[in-house]
Amino acid sequence: MFKFNFFYISKIRATWMLYLIGIYPLLIFLAELLNSNFLSLSATHKNSVSFLELFIAIYDTQQKAMLSLIIIGYLSSLLFYSEISTGRLLFYKDQSRYKIFNSKLTSIISSYFIFLSILLLSTLVVYLFYVNNHEYSSHSFMLNNSELNHTLILNLLGIFLTDLFLIFYVVIFSVKFNSGITIISMILCYVVIKITDNINKIKFSPSNFTNLDTDKSFILNLSIMSSITIVYIIIIYLLAIRIFRKIQF
């Protein structure tokens, strides 16, 4: 059933748009060819930009643009709300609802990981063939600075876990609501998360724990971020599958 849903979602144009977003770092070569400043990379210090730092900057930029998350929300609505409202799920009435739900959820997550892999490979190409030609490149995966590397790892994990939480968040909405409501609710949730990132007294999302107070806080923050996300995902998953089981189709 997963294979069927994955091939179905792979045929949707929005999925290919998601994958195309993953290659947007390569536009730096087009900008250089056209001698344009619409996309550029720069740094003030020599040997200061590692591959990890570049990837985080690109990953964070695409998350703030929210295009990939909006597409994920749309795909989720197609697999859940649209199929429920149009009666398409009647074809699966003899199948376990757990299997139906899990196959659709896994298809959405798989599409996201394919996008992330494309983004990672695109960033690697940019780092090897563009950044390495400039003095600000460190020509390394990480810098020789453990504190900075720990901060970068926490930032990377914060972006990834936020995306993962939002994927599950849109799934529970898409079971009951159309794509418009699902996407708007996701955008509002993301805005709330970004607002709380700047408020030290309010910490409820994984991205709220990316700042290091001491060297020992790295492991602590890492554990808290992971634990919070796992708890959220479990709660959302159980609620979503309970709602899905009760829906008549």
Side-chain angles (χ1 to χ4, degrees):
M1 190 175 291
F2 162 74
K3 186 182 292 186
F4 173 81
N5 280 295
F6 182 72
F7 281 125
Y8 169 70
I9 202 174
S10 297
K11 294 177 182 178
I12 300 172
R13 291 181 181 178
T15 305
W16 288 100
M17 287 179 62
L18 177 67
Y19 298 159
L20 283 173
I21 292 172
I23 66 172
Y24 94 88
L26 299 180
L27 289 174
I28 191 72
F29 296 110
L30 179 61
E32 186 177 33
L33 182 65
L34 299 176
N35 196 25
S36 171
N37 291 323
F38 80 91
L39 186 64
S40 62
L41 295 171
S42 63
T44 55
H45 301 289
K46 289 184 179 180
N47 305 318
S48 62
V49 179
S50 64
F51 170 75
L52 181 60
E53 190 171 5
L54 176 66
F55 179 65
I56 291 170
I58 290 174
Y59 193 10
D60 182 57
T61 300
Q62 71 78 31
Q63 186 195 64
K64 288 176 179 175
M66 293 203 71
L67 290 177
S68 60
L69 290 172
I70 288 172
I71 292 174
I72 289 292
Y74 173 71
L75 292 176
S76 182
S77 292
L78 285 182
L79 285 183
F80 287 101
Y81 181 82
S82 293
E83 293 200 352
I84 293 169
S85 60
T86 59
R88 190 168 183 266
L89 285 182
L90 283 171
F91 294 109
Y92 306 100
K93 62 181 180 180
D94 297 326
Q95 298 287 334
S96 167
R97 295 203 174 189
Y98 285 106
K99 289 182 178 179
I100 297 172
F101 181 86
N102 289 332
S103 66
K104 292 181 179 296
L105 175 61
T106 309
S107 298
I108 293 168
I109 294 174
S110 298
S111 298
Y112 172 77
F113 274 102
I114 291 173
F115 152 74
L116 200 57
S117 299
I118 295 171
L119 187 69
L120 181 66
L121 290 174
S122 300
T123 305
L124 181 60
V125 171
V126 170
Y127 192 80
L128 291 176
F129 299 103
Y130 181 84
V131 175
N132 274 345
N133 295 328
H134 295 77
E135 292 183 346
Y136 55 75
S137 173
S138 69
H139 309 287
S140 61
F141 180 76
M142 289 184 177
L143 298 175
N144 293 320
N145 185 322
S146 59
E147 184 177 351
L148 178 58
N149 289 332
H150 286 167
T151 301
L152 290 175
I153 291 170
L154 289 178
N155 275 279
L156 176 62
L157 194 62
I159 299 169
F160 172 73
L161 293 180
T162 298
D163 274 3
L164 196 59
F165 163 72
L166 289 172
I167 289 172
F168 277 81
Y169 180 88
V170 297
V171 166
I172 195 172
F173 267 83
S174 62
V175 172
K176 291 287 289 183
F177 302 103
N178 61 31
S179 58
I181 295 176
T182 298
I183 291 170
I184 290 172
S185 66
M186 180 197 64
I187 292 173
L188 291 175
C189 181
Y190 177 76
V191 170
V192 171
I193 290 172
K194 291 294 106 178
I195 291 174
T196 58
D197 281 346
N198 299 315
I199 304 175
N200 293 327
K201 293 183 179 180
I202 302 177
K203 293 186 176 182
F204 67 90
S205 74
S207 61
N208 298 152
F209 296 89
T210 57
N211 295 323
L212 285 176
D213 298 322
T214 63
D215 291 338
K216 294 181 180 179
S217 67
F218 172 68
I219 300 299
L220 178 62
N221 286 15
L222 200 66
S223 301
I224 294 174
M225 293 167 70
S226 302
S227 300
I228 286 176
T229 307
I230 291 171
V231 169
Y232 283 159
I233 285 176
I234 291 174
I235 292 173
I236 293 173
Y237 174 80
L238 293 176
L239 286 174
I241 204 165
R242 184 176 180 181
I243 296 170
F244 186 75
R245 287 182 62 199
K246 290 182 177 181
I247 288 176
Q248 299 297 321
F249 56 79

